[in-house]
Amino acid sequence: QVQLVESGGGLVQAGDSLRLSCAASGSTFSSYNMGWFRQAPGKEREFVAAIRWNGGDTYYTDSVKGRFTISRDNAKNLVYLQMNSLKPEDTAVYYCAASTRRPFYSTSAAGARAYDTWGQGTQVTVSS
């Protein structure tokens, strides 16, 4: 089982960019589908983006399409979330998660239950 550690969060202004990273331990990282979720204060955790184990398919929630990009580097055991044109409503704790689910399509990718392992989260705050 992998262990996940997120980094890259911070305080930025609306319109700025951030890149989150998620470092995974273990030699089987390349077999995991990976996702990013976020949770704002007083709200439920919500799906943001996911990428299949081989990087062949990516999925996004509608509110971040065109602004966020998920990618992975299996050689380095890293998954990224590039966030551009940030908005105050993007403020949340962002979590990285790993899934062994097969098959892995958009519907399953968006569900937290598909993920076996979670990181501790990194705070992203966007000021207006």
Side-chain angles (χ1 to χ4, degrees):
Q1 188 173 4
V2 294
Q3 292 184 324
L4 306 173
V5 178
E6 301 96 334
S7 61
L11 172 63
V12 296
Q13 294 186 332
D16 285 350
S17 299
L18 274 177
R19 188 177 78 161
L20 305 183
S21 298
C22 175
S25 63
S27 60
T28 59
F29 171 74
S30 60
S31 67
Y32 285 84
N33 307 302
M34 299 298 296
W36 285 96
F37 286 73
R38 65 187 180 187
Q39 187 167 19
K43 295 187 177 181
E44 293 186 354
R45 189 171 299 190
E46 66 169 349
F47 170 74
V48 177
I51 186 167
R52 199 172 287 185
W53 62 274
N54 60 358
D57 290 286
T58 56
Y59 309 104
Y60 299 92
T61 192
D62 286 346
S63 63
V64 307
K65 285 181 180 177
R67 298 189 299 123
F68 290 12
T69 302
I70 187 171
S71 62
R72 66 190 297 161
D73 185 337
N74 284 347
K76 296 181 179 179
N77 283 17
L78 289 168
V79 62
Y80 304 103
L81 185 68
Q82 178 67 43
M83 305 186 295
N84 298 329
S85 302
L86 282 161
K87 304 175 181 180
E89 51 264 43
D90 294 318
T91 295
V93 177
Y94 283 71
Y95 298 91
C96 173
S99 170
T100 57
R101 178 72 63 93
R102 298 287 194 276
F104 189 76
Y105 298 123
S106 58
T107 300
S108 57
R113 293 181 180 180
Y115 297 84
D116 312 295
T117 306
W118 294 79
Q120 83 291 347
T122 185
Q123 176 70 47
V124 173
T125 304
V126 184
S127 64
S128 57

